[in-house]
Amino acid sequence: MKGHLDLVLLGVLSRGAGHGYQVITRLREQTGGALDLPEGSVYPALHRLEDLGLLTSEWHPVAGRRRRVYSVTAEGRAALNAQRRDWRALVQAVESVLEPGRRVGAVSS
Amino acid sequence: MKGHLDLVLLGVLSRGAGHGYQVITRLREQTGGALDLPEGSVYPALHRLEDLGLLTSEWHPVAGRRRRVYSVTAEGRAALNAQRRDWRALVQAVESVLEPGRRVGAVSS
DNA sequence: CCTCATACCTCGGCATCTTAGGTATCACGA
DNA sequence: TCGTGATACCTAAGATGCCGAGGTATGAGG
């Protein structure tokens, strides 16, 4: 995860609000364990994204515990779209290097 | 290009030996300008890969100029395969986050 | 009680990449 | 002939960005 953290965080939260710990478990489950991000990466990233205005958070007290639930803002959705475009362009570029001559189309359609 | 430099360098050199400047132009042309790496990224990376034993180099004097031509070693090919696997796994994981419910298969087959 | 899972946080370190500058040859045109 | 752009190499210092390690706290289960 180098340079793609924001993308996956915005991506997973765009599917529904959630708190930090949940983001981690969601990613782990949705990817079959391929993406198992450490808390030390996720929490600071969420704070940064909130500072940038791409996320908002609310505290929810739940059974004596407190949870900070994050939602993607309109700006966040725009940023997600932009980063998704960049990601796809990167994938295409790298694939065209790894498999020259093979036309790697969009991921699906 | 954060964390994927080695992959693309090994990838492009695995298609044929070449010198540093040529690596840059090849990548720029093969990707339609999408990958335009600065020299300050490429040269140190090539040196690092050579130190790791993944590349070997030879000086070729050409028309008054000198070129350092790099080739991928056997170890380099093995590393390329490993990094390619990791790359594909990353792509799959990220795509499964961006497009949940859609089964994104291997990039080709 | 003690441990595990839940749930949050921060600091320091590390690896990596980029910026910015430097050297040198050759070809071309003014 | 002199400047400029392309070719071709290099490095040092800085910024970036992630991770590991550590810390706090509650609730459940043994």
Side-chain angles (χ1 to χ4, degrees), chain B residues 66-87:
Chain B
R66 49 172 198 165
R67 287 178 180 165
R68 193 159 171 178
V69 175
Y70 290 91
S71 310
V72 181
T73 65
E75 278 185 68
R77 271 183 291 277
L80 172 57
N81 287 330
Q83 293 193 18
R84 181 154 40 201
R85 275 192 295 275
D86 292 347
W87 162 256

Side-chain angles (χ1 to χ4, degrees), chain B residues 11-87:
Chain B
V12 72
L13 285 173
S14 74
R15 306 289 300 179
H19 60 275
Y21 200 84
Q22 191 180 21
V23 165
I24 294 174
T25 56
R26 270 198 214 169
L27 285 174
R28 187 166 46 222
E29 285 158 15
Q30 279 186 26
T31 64
L35 251 58
D36 194 0
L37 305 181
E39 300 182 2
S41 301
V42 171
Y43 287 116
L46 291 173
H47 298 162
R48 190 168 39 78
L49 291 174
E50 186 170 20
D51 288 343
L52 292 173
L54 308 185
L55 295 177
T56 48
S57 70
E58 271 180 30
W59 283 105
H60 286 248
V62 174
R65 291 199 194 85
R66 49 172 198 165
R67 287 178 180 165
R68 193 159 171 178
V69 175
Y70 290 91
S71 310
V72 181
T73 65
E75 278 185 68
R77 271 183 291 277
L80 172 57
N81 287 330
Q83 293 193 18
R84 181 154 40 201
R85 275 192 295 275
D86 292 347
W87 162 256

Side-chain angles (χ1 to χ4, degrees), chain A residues 2-21:
Chain A
K2 304 174 188 206
H4 314 299
L5 230 195
D6 296 5
L7 175 65
V8 296
L9 295 183
L10 289 172
V12 74
L13 285 173
S14 74
R15 307 290 300 179
H19 59 276
Y21 200 84

